[in-house]
Each structure stands twice: as C-alpha cells, then as structure tokens.
Amino acid sequence: MSLPLAPIALPPLPEEPGPASVWPASTRTLRSGGTAVGGVPLAELADRFGTPCYVIDEDEVRNRARAWRSALPDADVAYAGKAFLCRAMLRWLDEEGLHLDVCSAGELELAAHTGFPADRIVLHGNAKSPADLATALRLGVGRIVIDSTGEIARLAALVPPGSRQRVLVRVVPGIAAGAHTAVRTGVEGQKFGLPIAGGEAEDAVVRVLGQPRLELVGLHCHLGSQIASVDPYVTAVRRLVGLLSRLRDVHGVTFPELDLGGGFAIPYRDGDQALDPRAYALRVTSELALRCAHADLPVPRLTVEPGRWIAGPAGVALYRVLAVKATGDRLFVAVDGGMSDNPRPALYGVRYTVRLVGRASSVPERTMTVVGRHCEAGDVLAEDVALPGDIRPGDVLGVPASGAYHVSMASAYNLVGRPPVAAVSEGRARLLIRRETLEDLRVRDVGE
C-alpha cells in the first residue's frame, strides 16, 4: 500500500528567472540606426521579400531547442508543431534530436514528407478525425494521446490485427494556469482531457487496458499556455503521481511514461516573465522522484512539449506603415498586415512590442496604437506603444516574439494572402514559405 501523499520538503532551489529579452539573441542595432537579426538588416529583408513578412532566426530556434535538451537530458522534448511548422523547421528539430507533437493528418503528412522519424511523433487532439487516426497508424507514429472514452474503441478498431498502438491518456488535474481563460486547459469544464476528480480518467484507463490492440504506456496532461511559474507543474506532478498510485493499488498496473505537456511562457514586452528550462527541470524532476519514492512507484520517463518557447522568440514580424492618423487624443499607425497574419491580439488581448527597424530617429517618442488594414475595429496589433513622433508611411516596423501562433493561425481574411517566412543565419537569408498570392486564392474558387 502507498502512504498518503503528505507534503515533502524539497531542497533549496534557485529563484525563478527575471525578465528576458523579447528579441532574438542575434539582434543588433546598426550604425544607420536600423536593426539586424541573424546578421541581416531587417529593412533589407522587408525590401527583398516584401511586407508583411516573418523572419525566423534559425540559430535562435536551435539554441532554444538545445536549452531544453540540456536541462532535461533524460527526458523526451517534443516540439509542439501547432506553434509553427514547415519543412525547414522540421529539419532543424530533427537534427537537434527533438520529438514532435502534432494535431492533424496535415501536420503528420508534412512531417512524413520531410522525413521526420514517425516513432518520435505524438498525435494529439480532442476530436481526431478518422483521417487523422488512419494517417497516424499508417505512418506508425510513436504515441497517440486519447482524449475521450469514445475515442478508445474507434482507435482500437482501426489498429491492424496483430499490431498494438502505444497510447497515452490525457487527464485533467484540476489546475488553473495560463495567461487567458481561453488557453487554460488543465481545469474541468473545457473540451480537453478526462478529469481526475470525477473518476473519468481512471475509467478511461480501465477501458484502454481492456483493448488488446492498444498499449497504454502512460498519462498525459497539458495545463495551458503562457505559464511563467513552475509551481503549477509541480502541483500537476503531485496529482498525477497520486493517480498513478491509485491505478497501481486498484488495478495492479504501472506505466513507464508521463507527459506534462508544455505552455511555457515567453516575454512579449519588456518586463514580462519567462519560464527557465533549468528551473523547471530541477523542481519538476525532484518532485517527480520524491513523490514516486514516497508512493513506491518507478519513476516514469518524462516528456515535455515546448512550442511557443522554442519558436516564438526566434520570430520577428515586419510591417510597412501605410498611414498615420490622429483621431481625438489617439494617434494610430496603420500597417499593411493585421489580424489576418496575427489574430492573437483580437483573440486573447495579447500586447506586443513594436520598434522602428529601418532607420534612426532623434524625434521624441509618442504613445501610439498600431492597427491593421482589415475592416474590423478589433484589428489592433499593438496598443499604446512608444514610437518616434516622426513615424511616416513607408517606415518598416518590427514586432518581436512573432515566431509562434502567427503563421500557423493566419487566414486569408479580406482575400489578403498570408505572408512569407524567411530564415536568417550568419548574415544570410533564404525563403522558407513563399507569399500566398491572389492566384493561389483564385484557383481554389472553382464554382460559377
């Protein structure tokens, strides 16, 4: 029998990190007053590829991937592909030894086409389509995360006779964490996972154990997004080990894996807090080892899923100013992009940093609101930011921390094509994703 999960005294741990830079580490101010990333002037990139445009610093991506690998050398680090995915990104991640977390047959097919090892892929999703599941089984993905009891029999029926598919059960530990209610997925009453508190998680485990074509290898949870403190993850470990202890005591099973998801915060403005992989690794692995020892359980292999933390700070969005207008006591700067290439301010009220990146200015700064070109009053990219008072049409603005959930969430609203993505490294730039053209949009319109 396991002992009650009483509080355990942890060894002294380092303080949580302070504010981090919102720009890639390679960012430099040029003699001209402009800004360069990866050794390439951003104004030059705006001229070469047009605007709006996304710039991804390849070395920043690789270094941030290595930060997680270094902090957790005995764990699996699975990049959350929903943040940003393309063939080059997949190649970088593969070369850095990461795993991959996907949510659709489309992301799976892209990974397969790029040659990413299928056994290092995890498929998520609260409502996986038959095509999603069939593609995952055809490609031989390493893990499928079961999100509902109804999915168990459907998945088992698709597994070929004589085969077994490794699965995880996504559980809800009842922890409220995340920067906005729309991204808090560790609490009951939202669409993801199976609650521990109501017994649904345990019931799902029992059902999976009854399916001979499914091999249950562990539990999965995801608390939310933009979580800057390690504390919610430590609490999750306690509750998940409690469930593992009960499953062992009642059903006689133990599992070799535990996936704690991602949601690690990055800074979007100066002064924002960011989660440090080293602090996370020390506290979470210590807590996991102690709790498992307390419950007389083997320590499962840990998986974490950083997406935004790896891609976000590596990206800079470039826009060109189209108009400057004073309305009442407010000064608006309108640019050639907006909610079609970054819907996050409209969805979550996210606030960004904006910098004039193409030239120097000695004019004092004024408070301005940077808005997009779309026919929506809510098309605001950055509210109340400080920019030089001589901002004028034609100027190039840079928005850092734009590498995650921008391109992947972009739309063709107002039939404005999605922006291109260019990679920079060691003074060179190359196109990764071309601009979506009007012809691209027209060829999809096949009716009369």
Side-chain angles (χ1 to χ4, degrees), residues 42 46 51 59 69 80 91 101 138 253 261 267 274 305 338 359-360 366 405 417 421-422 446:
L42 293 177
T51 54
D59 298 317
R69 289 289 310 279
R91 181 174 58 81
D101 154 28
R138 173 173 55 83
V253 292
E305 299 174 355
R359 63 177 176 90
R366 297 181 60 184
Y405 300 105
V421 180
V446 297

Side-chain angles (χ1 to χ4, degrees), residues 172-178 184-188 221-224 231-237 239:
V172 179
I175 299 169
R184 293 174 187 161
T185 56
V187 293
E188 294 86 355
C221 82
H222 182 75
L223 301 181
D231 292 343
Y233 298 101
V234 172
T235 302
V237 167
R239 296 185 183 178

Side-chain angles (χ1 to χ4, degrees), residues 59-69 265-267 277 308-314:
D59 298 317
E60 183 80 11
V61 169
R62 291 182 181 274
N63 288 335
R64 297 181 77 83
R66 290 168 191 169
W68 278 102
R69 289 289 310 279
I266 64 168
R308 180 198 317 269
W309 200 96
I310 291 174

Side-chain angles (χ1 to χ4, degrees), residues 367-391:
T367 299
M368 308 181 189
T369 296
V370 180
V371 299
R373 59 173 294 177
H374 297 288
C375 298
E376 300 283 346
D379 183 20
V380 176
L381 284 173
E383 198 164 5
D384 298 332
V385 296
L387 290 169
D390 64 344
I391 286 287

